[in-house]
Amino acid sequence: MSVNLYNKLNSENGYKLLQLPNDLIEAFEKGPVKFKSLSNESSNVVLCSEDKTWLLKQRNHSNTVMLLREFAPNATIEAEVAEKVNTFGLPKPTADWAGFTTLDSELEPKLVSGSIDVTQLDIYDGTDVPLTRKLSLEEFKNMCPCSEKEFTEKWFDVAGCVVDGSACLLSERFMLKALHIILITCMAESFDINELSIDKVVDALQKDTTDGKPNVYTKNVITTVIRKFSSPAASEDGYFKINMPLVAKWYGVSALKIYASKEPISEQEFMVQWKAQFPPYFHCDLDICMLRGYFVRPLKDKIRYISKDTLSPDPKERFKQLFHWQSVWELDDMVPYIQELNTKNLKPDVFVMKYARRKRVGNKFIISAR
């Protein structure tokens, strides 16, 4: 067999072979698939379709892999080539290759969860302080290794918003204040929080705007807050159902920061303060278990706010810190503080045995230091 070879491709030009599993082939058939970088410092890239993200890993190998490009020259070129080519006794070339090279690696796609790098964004707290990082939402979206659908879901989850044309994050204080006003408005206007219209809430808030003062509760802000604390209503598109346990949790964490960050407070007194954070006459079921991962029990029947962000990322050190604040734990109370350390996805009661003692009492596991 012989072929007409017109060019030997240079592998240094960056040719890569991409494995194509069925889900990636389907994504290419449905619509555009984009390459995105994980970060400016990393050479890793991802492929993003409308609703999925694949991380690409280079797999080196010693197999024989040839990259060929076949084409059909026009009749004139073919005739000229036929006159000049010496086949050295071999049969007439059966194909025409525009280029040829060999490769020693392939790109293997792995389906992953898309991510958003919020460190690139300013925090907006409702004041007149201008935003410094002028990124439009579209520009920021293109920078994130995340599919379109995943971005939309994560964007509101991290309290993403657009203020004066720039993408930013709402501060916890401002977001809680906006949520408080939205709940008051819903009660005043008799809105159904299980079928809530963002446009109706916006119209109601605009009626209450004080003359001469800019309204910081714009439609973008209201949309972000409602989308963060709700899920789509089952009855009608464009309507949302407020997630009451999530609302209760946010008010509870806020109360912990106010009343239990400096010294322990009795659980009974805290429950009173927690309930007092809500708008008057607003009913919401409260349970201290909602706040697991935000408090410890340094004394019997007393709790204190502890942020997971202040704890060591080293498992041994973190367990040591947790037992410093609380000598004996119920496993369910401890899990939120340690689950990110369980990288091998072991059962929680098995994972804690690497760093602590475990004892079953009734239907509960009690954890203590070694």
Side-chain angles (χ1 to χ4, degrees), residues 300-319:
K300 185 178 180 180
D301 297 327
K302 288 198 173 186
I303 60 175
R304 178 170 181 172
Y305 170 71
I306 295 294
S307 172
K308 184 169 59 177
D309 295 336
T310 64
L311 300 178
S312 171
D314 177 69
K316 289 184 65 175
E317 184 62 27
R318 179 170 297 193
F319 272 88

Side-chain angles (χ1 to χ4, degrees), residues 34-222:
K34 301 178 181 178
F35 282 94
K36 292 185 178 181
S37 173
L38 282 176
S39 69
N40 292 332
E41 293 77 24
S42 174
S43 60
N44 292 329
V45 295
V46 294
L47 275 174
C48 298
S49 68
E50 182 67 24
D51 58 355
K52 293 184 176 67
T53 302
W54 292 267
L55 174 65
L56 299 183
K57 287 291 187 180
Q58 179 170 303
R59 301 302 184 190
N60 297 328
H61 56 69
S62 58
N63 299 331
T64 300
V65 178
M66 295 184 293
L67 175 65
L68 314 173
R69 181 182 176 187
E70 188 172 3
F71 81 118
N74 60 46
T76 303
I77 296 178
E78 190 172 8
E80 293 177 354
V81 170
E83 292 179 1
K84 298 177 181 179
V85 170
N86 186 347
T87 61
F88 302 100
L90 293 173
K92 182 181 178 181
T94 58
D96 293 276
W97 293 349
F100 164 87
T101 191
T102 58
L103 297 173
D104 59 2
S105 65
E106 297 176 2
L107 294 178
E108 179 184 38
K110 179 183 178 182
L111 193 63
V112 296
S113 176
S115 61
I116 294 180
D117 183 8
V118 297
T119 59
Q120 304 175 65
L121 299 177
D122 282 332
I123 306 296
Y124 177 69
D125 62 358
T127 64
D128 295 331
V129 179
L131 301 175
T132 58
R133 302 177 185 181
K134 302 294 184 179
L135 279 175
S136 70
L137 182 59
E138 193 64 27
E139 288 173 332
F140 177 67
K141 185 190 304 183
N142 291 333
M143 296 168 61
C144 295
C146 197
S147 69
E148 184 79 23
K149 181 180 179 182
E150 290 172 310
F151 180 87
T152 300
E153 294 172 349
K154 295 176 182 293
W155 177 242
F156 294 112
D157 189 51
V158 299
C161 189
V162 175
V163 175
D164 296 332
S166 297
C168 61
L169 302 178
L170 301 184
S171 70
E172 290 187 11
R173 183 197 65 83
F174 179 59
M175 185 163 50
L176 192 60
K177 186 177 179 181
L179 174 63
H180 197 81
I181 291 175
I182 289 171
L183 295 178
I184 291 174
T185 301
C186 289
M187 289 191 296
E189 301 289 336
S190 299
F191 291 154
D192 185 354
I193 60 174
N194 292 320
E195 293 184 7
L196 196 58
S197 167
I198 292 176
D199 289 336
K200 289 182 178 179
V201 175
V202 172
D203 292 341
L205 281 173
Q206 287 179 344
K207 290 190 301 184
D208 298 333
T209 302
T210 305
D211 293 338
K213 292 185 178 181
N215 184 6
V216 295
Y217 302 108
T218 62
K219 183 175 182 178
N220 285 338
V221 169
I222 295 170

